[in-house]
């Protein structure tokens, strides 16, 4: 059974302002939840319809019916479990190697996929403008498929100032840039990807040392 107060809290976490207020986020699905637990994210509560997560203490593990899970799930088709975790405290940007930056990427699914790609290619840091979707949005967590545990996301007030301070060449992904297949790229650099509809902002374009394009593969 899920209490009314629990339902109110959990459903409120679908909004950024309440995640920030409570310093909590939600994750769904056995794989994602288990990866967060294995990565030592602080677990607050877990709600499950299955006989799993038996090692979790009884005061944090709650057996619920599928109908109860549906009331608190952010998914149209609920998984078998949902968990609440504390949002980790912010840490300093390490700025080593290649760094990826995002300018106003708004779609949660896109951000989750980018986080997954960063993980696949061994990039541990992702610097985001304040207008980029929150990485603790439930849809981002879901789309990242656990990669959020290995890729740190930073949100900064002024992306241009932050990236310039890293003292690395800055390249932007644009339609008119040099082909990424033929360009000679440095090992230490920052690469900016812009919003889905408008690309990189004019302000950030002034900070670029070069532009790159990813031509259609033929």
């Amino acid at each position: 059974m899920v209490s009314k107060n629990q339902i109110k809290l959990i459903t409120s976490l679908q909004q950024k302002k309440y995640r920030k207020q409570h310093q909590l986020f939600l994750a769904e699905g056995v794989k994602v939840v288990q990866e967060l637990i294995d990565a030592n994210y602080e677990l607050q509560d877990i709600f499950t319809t299955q006989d799993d997560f038996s090692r979790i203490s009884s005061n944090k593990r709650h057996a619920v019916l599928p109908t109860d899970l549906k009331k608190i799930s952010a998914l149209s088709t609920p998984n078998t479990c949902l968990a609440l975790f504390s949002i980790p405290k912010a840490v300093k940007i390490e700025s080593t190697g290649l760094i990826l930056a995002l300018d106003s990427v708004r779609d949660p699914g896109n951000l989750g996929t980018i986080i997954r790609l960063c993980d696949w290619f061994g990039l541990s840091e992702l610097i985001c403008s304040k207008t980029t979707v929150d990485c603790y949005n439930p849809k981002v967590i879901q789309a990242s498929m656990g990669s959020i545990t290995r890729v740190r996301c930073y949100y900064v007030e002024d992306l241009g100032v932050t990236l310039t301070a890293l003292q690395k060449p800055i390249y932007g992904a644009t339609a008119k840039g040099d082909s990424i297949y033929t360009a000679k790229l440095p090992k230490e650099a920052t690469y900016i990807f812009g919003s889905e509809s408008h690309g990189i902002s004019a302000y950030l374009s002034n900070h670029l040392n070069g532009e790159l394009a990813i031509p259609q593969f033929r």
Side-chain angles (χ1 to χ4, degrees):
M1 184 72 178
V2 186
S3 70
K4 289 183 178 179
N5 285 339
Q6 287 173 325
I7 293 173
K8 183 178 179 181
L9 169 63
I10 295 167
T11 55
S12 75
L13 297 179
Q14 295 184 34
Q15 298 183 53
K16 181 179 178 179
K17 66 178 180 179
Y18 293 114
R19 291 194 294 273
K20 184 176 181 180
Q21 177 182 325
H22 298 289
Q23 286 299 291
L24 294 171
F25 71 96
L26 61 90
E28 300 192 56
V30 173
K31 181 185 184 300
V32 176
V33 170
Q34 189 61 60
E35 287 218 37
L36 287 162
I37 292 172
D38 292 344
N40 295 319
Y41 275 65
E42 185 180 353
L43 176 68
Q44 296 295 314
D45 289 286
I46 185 168
F47 303 85
T48 178
T49 61
Q50 306 293 318
D51 187 20
D52 51 13
F53 298 103
S54 57
R55 294 185 179 181
I56 303 299
S57 62
S58 57
N59 64 318
K60 292 187 176 183
R61 183 182 181 279
H62 312 281
V64 296
L65 296 172
T67 50
D68 292 323
L69 195 63
K70 189 173 184 179
K71 293 177 183 177
I72 57 177
S73 176
L75 303 175
S76 54
T77 304
N79 214 303
T80 59
C81 68
L82 179 150
L84 302 185
F85 291 90
S86 296
I87 294 176
K89 292 182 179 179
V91 295
K92 187 178 179 180
I93 298 172
E94 292 182 4
S95 70
T96 56
L98 294 180
I99 290 182
L100 199 65
L102 302 180
D103 179 23
S104 300
V105 171
R106 305 295 179 86
D107 184 89
N110 288 348
L111 178 55
T113 300
I114 291 169
I115 291 171
R116 219 164 58 238
L117 288 170
C118 285
D119 185 23
W120 177 258
F121 287 104
L123 301 180
S124 60
E125 296 184 308
L126 186 60
I127 304 177
C128 305
S129 66
K130 62 181 180 181
T131 51
T132 290
V133 63
D134 180 24
C135 67
Y136 295 110
N137 179 301
K139 293 180 179 178
V140 175
I141 297 295
Q142 194 70 22
S144 80
M145 294 298 291
S147 289
I148 189 72
T149 63
R150 292 176 290 277
V151 179
R152 293 182 297 276
C153 297
Y154 304 91
Y155 287 81
V156 297
E157 285 294 321
D158 191 315
L159 196 55
V161 170
T162 299
L163 298 184
T164 300
L166 297 179
Q167 297 184 335
K168 298 174 184 284
I170 302 171
Y171 293 88
T174 68
K176 62 181 180 179
D178 298 328
S179 171
I180 196 170
Y181 302 125
T182 57
K184 292 183 179 180
L185 304 176
K187 293 183 178 180
E188 294 267 344
T190 300
Y191 298 92
I192 304 177
F193 288 82
S195 73
E196 298 86 349
S197 56
H198 302 294
I200 297 172
S201 67
Y203 166 68
L204 279 177
S205 294
N206 293 327
H207 291 77
L208 299 180
N209 298 111
E211 298 183 18
L212 297 171
I214 305 176
Q216 182 179 2
F217 186 78
R218 298 181 184 276

